[in-house]
């Protein structure tokens, strides 16, 4: 019952890694009425400062706490959930440590660089009874599903090479 919240309670969220994806995730999260961005974390000062400024739009002026060391966020008992949007090689370690600290986690893709790291993440989520979600929302978008269907159906012929780009 310790995790049960009242109808008026808000989830305290911290965001680790405030580059393009971290800021995008924070902006989407701030639209949720039951979530409050309480801390943002990045080792790169310009990203950290931008995130603090953006966090003010949710509260009408009160800024999220700026943190450079993610371990401070994990040690903070008032933080309920963390969003990990750091460079890929940090995803497994931060997710496992967040689970140990009693935080639920949203982690960007790829969740890990190796299969073994992914297995450790799953084991930590289960051991500490945490919710861990991987960011795979692009797989749900209609144009991605259609592209997969085109390839799977054979309409595109034999695929021998694929090039992709990301425009942002």
């Amino acid at each position: 019952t310790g995790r049960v919240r009242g109808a008026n309670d808000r989830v305290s969220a911290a965001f680790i890694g405030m580059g393009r994806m971290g800021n995008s995730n924070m902006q989407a999260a701030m639209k949720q009425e039951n979530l409050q961005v309480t801390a943002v974390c990045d080792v790169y000062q310009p990203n950290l400062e931008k995130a603090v400024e953006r966090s003010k739009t949710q509260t009408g002026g009160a800024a999220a706490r700026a943190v450079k060391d993610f371990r401070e966020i994990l040690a903070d008992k008032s933080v309920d959930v963390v969003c990990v949007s750091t460079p890929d090689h940090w995803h497994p370690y931060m997710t496992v440590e967040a689970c140990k600290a009693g935080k639920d986690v949203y982690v960007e893709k790829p969740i890990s660089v190796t299969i073994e790291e992914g297995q450790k993440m799953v084991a930590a989520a289960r051991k500490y009874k945490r919710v861990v979600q991987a960011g795979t929302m692009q797989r749900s978008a209609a144009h991605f599903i259609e592209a997969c269907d085109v390839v799977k159906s054979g309409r595109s012929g034999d695929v021998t090479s694929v090039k992709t780009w990301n425009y942002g």
Side-chain angles (χ1 to χ4, degrees):
T1 61
R3 293 177 61 191
V4 175
R5 299 185 173 284
N8 296 322
D9 288 342
R10 298 180 89 183
V11 174
S12 172
F15 291 77
I16 304 170
M18 299 311 303
R20 187 176 73 180
M21 285 310 302
N23 268 301
S24 177
N25 290 336
M26 183 179 74
Q27 296 284 69
M30 288 192 313
K31 294 176 184 173
Q32 307 307 308
E33 292 180 16
N34 66 335
L35 183 137
Q36 178 65 47
V37 177
T38 54
V40 292
C41 177
D42 204 292
V43 295
Y44 184 57
Q45 189 66 31
N47 284 355
L48 188 58
E49 290 170 5
K50 287 177 190 172
V52 167
E53 285 304 309
R54 285 189 178 117
S55 74
K56 291 179 183 179
T57 63
Q58 184 185 37
T59 59
R65 183 168 54 101
V67 176
K68 283 203 167 200
D69 187 334
F70 78 96
R71 292 170 290 198
E72 276 185 53
I73 286 174
L74 301 186
D76 185 343
K77 299 287 187 212
S78 71
V79 173
D80 301 309
V81 300
V82 296
C83 175
V84 177
S85 304
T86 58
D88 301 348
H89 65 279
W90 280 103
H91 295 178
Y93 179 67
M94 289 181 176
T95 298
V96 168
E97 292 303 308
C99 288
K100 285 181 186 177
K103 316 292 185 212
D104 292 326
V105 182
Y106 178 89
V107 58
E108 269 302 330
K109 62 190 164 307
I111 61 164
S112 63
V113 178
T114 69
I115 292 170
E116 182 182 39
E117 289 172 338
Q119 291 168 335
K120 288 180 180 179
M121 295 166 79
V122 170
R126 289 179 178 159
K127 179 178 180 179
Y128 298 103
K129 297 179 175 41
R130 305 317 315 162
V131 174
V132 176
Q133 179 181 342
T136 58
M137 69 276 189
Q138 287 185 338
R139 294 173 189 218
S140 304
H143 61 287
F144 287 106
I145 293 169
E146 184 179 349
C148 289
D149 289 343
V150 167
V151 173
K152 287 177 186 175
S153 72
R155 288 183 288 173
S156 59
D158 291 334
V159 178
T160 59
S161 177
V162 174
K163 291 183 182 179
T164 184
W165 66 94
N166 186 355
Y167 176 77

